[in-house]
Amino acid sequence: MFNLLKSDMYRLVHGKMLWVVTAIVVAASVFVVAMMHAVSSPEFLSMTASAVDMTVTAGDDEGARGAASGDETEGPAAASVAAAAEVVEDVAENAAEAEKGAASGSASAELWASVAEDPQALSEADFEGVSREMRTFTTPADMLGDSVVSGGMLTLIVALVAALFCAQDFTTRFARNLVMDRRGRMRYYGGKIVLVGVLAAFFLAVVSLTSVTSFAVAGFTYEAVNSLTDLLVFFGLTWLVIFAYGCSAAVIVWISRSAGAGVAWAIVVCSGFLGAAVGQVLLSLAVVAPWLGALEPWLLSSCVQDLGAFAGALLGTPAAAPLTMVPVAVQVLIAGAVAAGLCGALALGVLRKRDL
């Protein structure tokens, strides 16, 4: 197994796929930070407030003209005023939504509440203060959970690379050149599983270092620093979930012998798209059968969202999984280990009996 793993590592490092994907991931991470830097700048906040002010003023002027011209134009004028009021209300609601998921939500909500009341009353210092608070994360782990984990980019990237690389053994007939009895096939699949774990660790490290460095350059700060234990728990559980998704994509390739099937699985399943849809169905059916709703937190896609939401305090979260009432950290550990274990059992127990 070790020799096959060394061979895979050599082909991966000396090939183009790994480095092309790495460059794309780094560029995407930097772009996300640049966008967050732009939308949290005092200039952008001031410009948005001015746009809202202009919309409200235009609606008021339209309403005044409608009132002066009589009932004939009352309908359009009232519609304009209602539209302007709706814009302000939407902005305030969006800020309130942000308050639930971001450390800067309170300042942002207060800002847009002030804009809704009197946009011209805000000073440049108000926008700068809100900008500083929007650029302050609770902890580094919370930053990584919010910007790196919760979107599902890492699980998708690792699954895609794992699927494409495993499929190369069949498209290039590399697997057929190996002498494979059943013991040899176990070594083959075992080496590939270890390789998926290495890929998960590599991309997690790349994205984390890129994000931390980019946020520091952009001027983002933190209210507190995570303990070493919290960081180890966060990175360990994140790696486990990414690893489980990557193994699932590899198993699909080994079953189908098709790169297309592996890519499709990565896009539909490992991105979290299918999991989110299944989760909504389970929650909807919970009205009829409550135990179905209790299954939703145990989906891998739900674990990814929990890692993003509770990244800085996974050990301190209250019991969250309905079936066993265990903390989020234990829930993610169980779900990730079960998923990875099933993939390993399929590869080493069932697929090893199939000729390569």
Side-chain angles (χ1 to χ4, degrees):
M1 186 179 78
F2 183 70
N3 289 333
L4 287 174
L5 179 61
K6 283 174 57 179
S7 172
D8 288 339
M9 291 293 294
Y10 181 87
R11 290 190 295 139
L12 194 62
V13 171
H14 288 80
K16 296 179 180 179
M17 179 174 63
L18 177 66
W19 305 116
V20 170
V21 174
T22 301
I24 294 173
V25 169
V26 170
S29 300
V30 173
F31 177 76
V32 169
V33 176
M35 291 298 296
M36 293 180 68
H37 171 74
V39 299
S40 64
S41 65
E43 295 78 14
F44 181 84
L45 297 174
S46 177
M47 179 182 66
T48 306
S50 299
V52 173
D53 185 23
M54 292 174 62
T55 303
V56 174
T57 302
D60 290 341
D61 292 344
E62 196 68 30
R65 287 195 295 270
S69 60
D71 295 338
E72 189 173 328
T73 57
E74 184 175 350
S80 298
V81 174
E86 188 177 349
V87 169
V88 175
E89 184 179 352
D90 289 343
V91 172
E93 287 180 359
N94 291 337
E97 290 285 334
E99 184 175 4
K100 298 178 182 178
S104 60
S106 178
S108 180
E110 292 176 3
L111 172 70
W112 297 120
S114 300
V115 170
E117 293 175 3
D118 186 3
Q120 296 180 347
L122 296 173
S123 65
E124 185 177 343
D126 293 324
F127 291 113
E128 290 179 351
V130 173
S131 176
R132 282 194 300 272
E133 189 162 345
M134 290 179 70
R135 296 184 183 190
T136 303
F137 291 100
T138 304
T139 63
D142 287 297
M143 177 274 290
L144 291 173
D146 184 50
S147 62
V148 172
V149 178
S150 59
M153 180 183 74
L154 274 174
T155 55
L156 172 61
I157 292 299
V158 172
L160 280 174
V161 174
L164 291 172
F165 186 78
C166 290
Q168 284 182 357
D169 286 358
F170 301 104
T171 57
T172 62
R173 298 182 179 272
F174 175 79
R176 293 190 179 184
N177 294 328
L178 301 175
V179 179
M180 287 292 174
D181 53 13
R182 289 194 178 184
R183 184 178 177 185
R185 288 181 221 134
M186 180 174 289
R187 289 196 296 263
Y188 173 82
Y189 289 121
K192 286 293 189 293
I193 290 173
V194 173
L195 181 66
V196 173
V198 173
L199 284 173
F202 173 76
F203 282 109
L204 178 59
V206 167
V207 175
S208 298
L209 289 174
T210 303
S211 297
V212 169
T213 302
S214 300
F215 276 116
V217 172
F220 286 76
T221 57
Y222 309 98
E223 294 178 358
V225 179
N226 299 103
S227 66
L228 179 60
T229 301
D230 286 340
L231 287 175
L232 289 176
V233 170
F234 169 71
F235 282 114
L237 293 177
T238 301
W239 173 86
L240 177 61
V241 173
I242 297 171
F243 171 64
Y245 270 121
C247 286
S248 70
V251 167
I252 293 299
V253 170
W254 293 331
I255 293 174
S256 65
R257 306 294 169 87
S258 168
V263 170
W265 179 271
I267 294 174
V268 176
V269 177
C270 300
S271 65
F273 174 77
L274 182 62
V278 172
Q280 289 300 316
V281 172
L282 290 176
L283 292 176
S284 299
L285 294 176
V287 178
V288 179
W291 65 272
L292 289 174
L295 295 176
E296 189 271 340
W298 296 94
L299 298 175
L300 272 185
S301 58
S302 299
C303 291
V304 172
Q305 298 306 314
D306 287 340
L307 284 170
F310 304 106
L314 288 169
L315 292 177
T317 51
L323 288 179
T324 59
M325 296 305 292
V326 296
V328 169
V330 179
Q331 168 201 340
V332 176
L333 177 63
I334 294 173
V338 168
L342 287 175
C343 292
L346 280 173
L348 302 178
V350 179
L351 293 176
R352 72 182 180 87
K353 299 178 183 179
R354 182 182 179 188
D355 289 337
L356 292 171

PDB file of all heavy atoms in Angstrom, residues 189-206:
ATOM      1  N   TYR A 189      -7.095  -0.016  -2.825  1.00  0.00           N
ATOM      2  CA  TYR A 189      -8.155   0.854  -2.316  1.00  0.00           C
ATOM      3  C   TYR A 189      -7.735   1.540  -1.016  1.00  0.00           C
ATOM      4  O   TYR A 189      -8.085   2.705  -0.781  1.00  0.00           O
ATOM      5  CB  TYR A 189      -9.445   0.061  -2.102  1.00  0.00           C
ATOM      6  CG  TYR A 189     -10.108  -0.364  -3.389  1.00  0.00           C
ATOM      7  CD1 TYR A 189     -10.342  -1.712  -3.664  1.00  0.00           C
ATOM      8  CD2 TYR A 189     -10.509   0.573  -4.340  1.00  0.00           C
ATOM      9  CE1 TYR A 189     -10.954  -2.105  -4.845  1.00  0.00           C
ATOM     10  CE2 TYR A 189     -11.110   0.183  -5.526  1.00  0.00           C
ATOM     11  CZ  TYR A 189     -11.330  -1.154  -5.770  1.00  0.00           C
ATOM     12  OH  TYR A 189     -11.935  -1.535  -6.950  1.00  0.00           O
ATOM     13  N   GLY A 190      -6.994   0.832  -0.183  1.00  0.00           N
ATOM     14  CA  GLY A 190      -6.514   1.447   1.054  1.00  0.00           C
ATOM     15  C   GLY A 190      -5.608   2.634   0.784  1.00  0.00           C
ATOM     16  O   GLY A 190      -5.714   3.683   1.443  1.00  0.00           O
ATOM     17  N   GLY A 191      -4.724   2.502  -0.207  1.00  0.00           N
ATOM     18  CA  GLY A 191      -3.851   3.610  -0.567  1.00  0.00           C
ATOM     19  C   GLY A 191      -4.618   4.796  -1.099  1.00  0.00           C
ATOM     20  O   GLY A 191      -4.303   5.966  -0.802  1.00  0.00           O
ATOM     21  N   LYS A 192      -5.655   4.530  -1.885  1.00  0.00           N
ATOM     22  CA  LYS A 192      -6.472   5.625  -2.427  1.00  0.00           C
ATOM     23  C   LYS A 192      -7.235   6.345  -1.312  1.00  0.00           C
ATOM     24  O   LYS A 192      -7.387   7.574  -1.332  1.00  0.00           O
ATOM     25  CB  LYS A 192      -7.456   5.070  -3.457  1.00  0.00           C
ATOM     26  CG  LYS A 192      -6.826   4.687  -4.781  1.00  0.00           C
ATOM     27  CD  LYS A 192      -6.303   5.907  -5.517  1.00  0.00           C
ATOM     28  CE  LYS A 192      -5.864   5.575  -6.948  1.00  0.00           C
ATOM     29  NZ  LYS A 192      -4.690   4.691  -6.997  1.00  0.00           N
ATOM     30  N   ILE A 193      -7.723   5.605  -0.338  1.00  0.00           N
ATOM     31  CA  ILE A 193      -8.435   6.231   0.779  1.00  0.00           C
ATOM     32  C   ILE A 193      -7.496   7.132   1.569  1.00  0.00           C
ATOM     33  O   ILE A 193      -7.867   8.250   1.968  1.00  0.00           O
ATOM     34  CB  ILE A 193      -9.067   5.148   1.679  1.00  0.00           C
ATOM     35  CG1 ILE A 193     -10.222   4.471   0.935  1.00  0.00           C
ATOM     36  CG2 ILE A 193      -9.567   5.749   2.987  1.00  0.00           C
ATOM     37  CD1 ILE A 193     -10.812   3.282   1.669  1.00  0.00           C
ATOM     38  N   VAL A 194      -6.284   6.664   1.797  1.00  0.00           N
ATOM     39  CA  VAL A 194      -5.296   7.504   2.492  1.00  0.00           C
ATOM     40  C   VAL A 194      -5.003   8.754   1.664  1.00  0.00           C
ATOM     41  O   VAL A 194      -4.866   9.852   2.204  1.00  0.00           O
ATOM     42  CB  VAL A 194      -4.000   6.710   2.761  1.00  0.00           C
ATOM     43  CG1 VAL A 194      -2.915   7.630   3.331  1.00  0.00           C
ATOM     44  CG2 VAL A 194      -4.268   5.560   3.723  1.00  0.00           C
ATOM     45  N   LEU A 195      -4.925   8.587   0.344  1.00  0.00           N
ATOM     46  CA  LEU A 195      -4.667   9.730  -0.535  1.00  0.00           C
ATOM     47  C   LEU A 195      -5.786  10.767  -0.431  1.00  0.00           C
ATOM     48  O   LEU A 195      -5.523  11.977  -0.426  1.00  0.00           O
ATOM     49  CB  LEU A 195      -4.526   9.260  -1.978  1.00  0.00           C
ATOM     50  CG  LEU A 195      -4.231  10.362  -3.010  1.00  0.00           C
ATOM     51  CD1 LEU A 195      -2.854  10.959  -2.766  1.00  0.00           C
ATOM     52  CD2 LEU A 195      -4.333   9.816  -4.429  1.00  0.00           C
ATOM     53  N   VAL A 196      -7.035  10.320  -0.348  1.00  0.00           N
ATOM     54  CA  VAL A 196      -8.157  11.263  -0.184  1.00  0.00           C
ATOM     55  C   VAL A 196      -7.996  12.036   1.119  1.00  0.00           C
ATOM     56  O   VAL A 196      -8.258  13.247   1.174  1.00  0.00           O
ATOM     57  CB  VAL A 196      -9.500  10.507  -0.216  1.00  0.00           C
ATOM     58  CG1 VAL A 196     -10.652  11.452   0.128  1.00  0.00           C
ATOM     59  CG2 VAL A 196      -9.731   9.892  -1.588  1.00  0.00           C
ATOM     60  N   GLY A 197      -7.548  11.357   2.175  1.00  0.00           N
ATOM     61  CA  GLY A 197      -7.305  12.051   3.436  1.00  0.00           C
ATOM     62  C   GLY A 197      -6.218  13.105   3.310  1.00  0.00           C
ATOM     63  O   GLY A 197      -6.324  14.198   3.896  1.00  0.00           O
ATOM     64  N   VAL A 198      -5.175  12.791   2.556  1.00  0.00           N
ATOM     65  CA  VAL A 198      -4.100  13.768   2.322  1.00  0.00           C
ATOM     66  C   VAL A 198      -4.633  14.963   1.537  1.00  0.00           C
ATOM     67  O   VAL A 198      -4.309  16.123   1.841  1.00  0.00           O
ATOM     68  CB  VAL A 198      -2.928  13.100   1.580  1.00  0.00           C
ATOM     69  CG1 VAL A 198      -1.881  14.146   1.178  1.00  0.00           C
ATOM     70  CG2 VAL A 198      -2.288  12.026   2.444  1.00  0.00           C
ATOM     71  N   LEU A 199      -5.454  14.701   0.519  1.00  0.00           N
ATOM     72  CA  LEU A 199      -6.043  15.799  -0.263  1.00  0.00           C
ATOM     73  C   LEU A 199      -6.920  16.689   0.612  1.00  0.00           C
ATOM     74  O   LEU A 199      -6.877  17.924   0.499  1.00  0.00           O
ATOM     75  CB  LEU A 199      -6.884  15.224  -1.403  1.00  0.00           C
ATOM     76  CG  LEU A 199      -6.130  14.671  -2.611  1.00  0.00           C
ATOM     77  CD1 LEU A 199      -7.107  13.982  -3.563  1.00  0.00           C
ATOM     78  CD2 LEU A 199      -5.387  15.774  -3.337  1.00  0.00           C
ATOM     79  N   ALA A 200      -7.703  16.084   1.496  1.00  0.00           N
ATOM     80  CA  ALA A 200      -8.565  16.867   2.388  1.00  0.00           C
ATOM     81  C   ALA A 200      -7.722  17.770   3.291  1.00  0.00           C
ATOM     82  O   ALA A 200      -8.042  18.953   3.483  1.00  0.00           O
ATOM     83  CB  ALA A 200      -9.443  15.931   3.220  1.00  0.00           C
ATOM     84  N   ALA A 201      -6.650  17.222   3.828  1.00  0.00           N
ATOM     85  CA  ALA A 201      -5.780  18.018   4.704  1.00  0.00           C
ATOM     86  C   ALA A 201      -5.075  19.121   3.919  1.00  0.00           C
ATOM     87  O   ALA A 201      -4.935  20.260   4.395  1.00  0.00           O
ATOM     88  CB  ALA A 201      -4.751  17.105   5.375  1.00  0.00           C
ATOM     89  N   PHE A 202      -4.639  18.812   2.693  1.00  0.00           N
ATOM     90  CA  PHE A 202      -3.925  19.795   1.878  1.00  0.00           C
ATOM     91  C   PHE A 202      -4.804  20.992   1.539  1.00  0.00           C
ATOM     92  O   PHE A 202      -4.418  22.144   1.758  1.00  0.00           O
ATOM     93  CB  PHE A 202      -3.429  19.126   0.592  1.00  0.00           C
ATOM     94  CG  PHE A 202      -2.833  20.081  -0.405  1.00  0.00           C
ATOM     95  CD1 PHE A 202      -1.566  20.598  -0.216  1.00  0.00           C
ATOM     96  CD2 PHE A 202      -3.555  20.461  -1.532  1.00  0.00           C
ATOM     97  CE1 PHE A 202      -1.014  21.493  -1.139  1.00  0.00           C
ATOM     98  CE2 PHE A 202      -3.016  21.344  -2.450  1.00  0.00           C
ATOM     99  CZ  PHE A 202      -1.746  21.865  -2.255  1.00  0.00           C
ATOM    100  N   PHE A 203      -5.999  20.733   1.026  1.00  0.00           N
ATOM    101  CA  PHE A 203      -6.857  21.847   0.624  1.00  0.00           C
ATOM    102  C   PHE A 203      -7.396  22.612   1.832  1.00  0.00           C
ATOM    103  O   PHE A 203      -7.591  23.827   1.761  1.00  0.00           O
ATOM    104  CB  PHE A 203      -8.000  21.341  -0.254  1.00  0.00           C
ATOM    105  CG  PHE A 203      -7.590  21.073  -1.671  1.00  0.00           C
ATOM    106  CD1 PHE A 203      -7.501  19.783  -2.155  1.00  0.00           C
ATOM    107  CD2 PHE A 203      -7.273  22.126  -2.521  1.00  0.00           C
ATOM    108  CE1 PHE A 203      -7.102  19.534  -3.456  1.00  0.00           C
ATOM    109  CE2 PHE A 203      -6.879  21.895  -3.832  1.00  0.00           C
ATOM    110  CZ  PHE A 203      -6.793  20.595  -4.298  1.00  0.00           C
ATOM    111  N   LEU A 204      -7.633  21.923   2.941  1.00  0.00           N
ATOM    112  CA  LEU A 204      -8.043  22.622   4.155  1.00  0.00           C
ATOM    113  C   LEU A 204      -6.946  23.574   4.613  1.00  0.00           C
ATOM    114  O   LEU A 204      -7.221  24.722   4.997  1.00  0.00           O
ATOM    115  CB  LEU A 204      -8.367  21.610   5.258  1.00  0.00           C
ATOM    116  CG  LEU A 204      -8.762  22.193   6.621  1.00  0.00           C
ATOM    117  CD1 LEU A 204      -9.985  23.084   6.503  1.00  0.00           C
ATOM    118  CD2 LEU A 204      -9.003  21.054   7.623  1.00  0.00           C
ATOM    119  N   ALA A 205      -5.685  23.120   4.554  1.00  0.00           N
ATOM    120  CA  ALA A 205      -4.566  23.976   4.957  1.00  0.00           C
ATOM    121  C   ALA A 205      -4.399  25.151   3.993  1.00  0.00           C
ATOM    122  O   ALA A 205      -4.188  26.299   4.426  1.00  0.00           O
ATOM    123  CB  ALA A 205      -3.277  23.150   5.014  1.00  0.00           C
ATOM    124  N   VAL A 206      -4.509  24.887   2.689  1.00  0.00           N
ATOM    125  CA  VAL A 206      -4.328  25.950   1.692  1.00  0.00           C
ATOM    126  C   VAL A 206      -5.383  27.039   1.858  1.00  0.00           C
ATOM    127  O   VAL A 206      -5.072  28.233   1.909  1.00  0.00           O
ATOM    128  CB  VAL A 206      -4.380  25.360   0.263  1.00  0.00           C
ATOM    129  CG1 VAL A 206      -4.512  26.470  -0.781  1.00  0.00           C
ATOM    130  CG2 VAL A 206      -3.134  24.538  -0.018  1.00  0.00           C
TER     131      VAL A 206
END
